Amino acid sequence: MVLRHQFIAHRGKTDSEVGISFMAIPKDKNSESQVRFKQLKLGAFGEEKLNEIEKIVRFIITQLEVKIQKSGQKVYDGFFDLFDAKEISFMVLNNMKDPEKNE
């Protein structure tokens, strides 16, 4: 109830509030688990700082795209090295049905 009254019911009063809740489970079996929570208020960023953050995020995205492409290519190559054409033909699913359409 403390968690509900002090954290859940009163979180997010403004757009700059961030609530964090976690359960602390001790390694010692004789100790009790605890639920802890913290509410933080974030300061606003100026336009210059936001532009800097955007620049960093865009750089990270481009680097990740390159790494994902290389990893995907390795998986693709490894798949065709591991299986021959006949084995791959058995893996093709022509009659896939959409589970959301209940077909």
Side-chain angles (χ1 to χ4, degrees), residues 49-86:
K49 190 67 169 175
L50 287 173
N51 288 336
E52 186 179 320
I53 292 169
E54 180 183 10
K55 194 174 178 181
I56 292 168
V57 168
R58 289 184 185 274
F59 173 77
I60 291 170
I61 288 171
T62 58
Q63 297 301 309
L64 286 174
E65 286 173 342
V66 170
K67 290 189 178 293
I68 290 168
Q69 178 64 37
K70 286 180 181 178
S71 296
Q73 189 64 49
K74 287 179 184 178
V75 169
Y76 179 87
D77 293 342
F79 182 79
F80 284 97
D81 287 344
L82 190 60
F83 301 105
D84 62 29
K86 185 175 180 180

Side-chain angles (χ1 to χ4, degrees), residues 2-14 17 39:
V2 171
L3 177 65
R4 188 251 177 255
H5 291 314
Q6 293 184 5
F7 176 68
I8 296 171
H10 300 288
R11 73 178 191 278
K13 290 182 180 177
T14 67
E17 287 182 343
Q39 192 159 341

Side-chain angles (χ1 to χ4, degrees), residues 5-6 15 18 23-24 27 30 34 39 41 45 51 55-56 59 70 75 77 88 92-93 99:
H5 291 314
Q6 293 184 5
D15 290 339
V18 177
M23 182 172 218
K27 291 181 181 179
N30 297 328
Q34 300 174 17
Q39 192 159 341
K41 292 193 180 196
F45 294 113
N51 288 336
K55 194 174 178 181
I56 292 168
F59 173 77
K70 286 180 181 178
V75 169
D77 293 342
I88 292 171
V92 175
L93 300 174

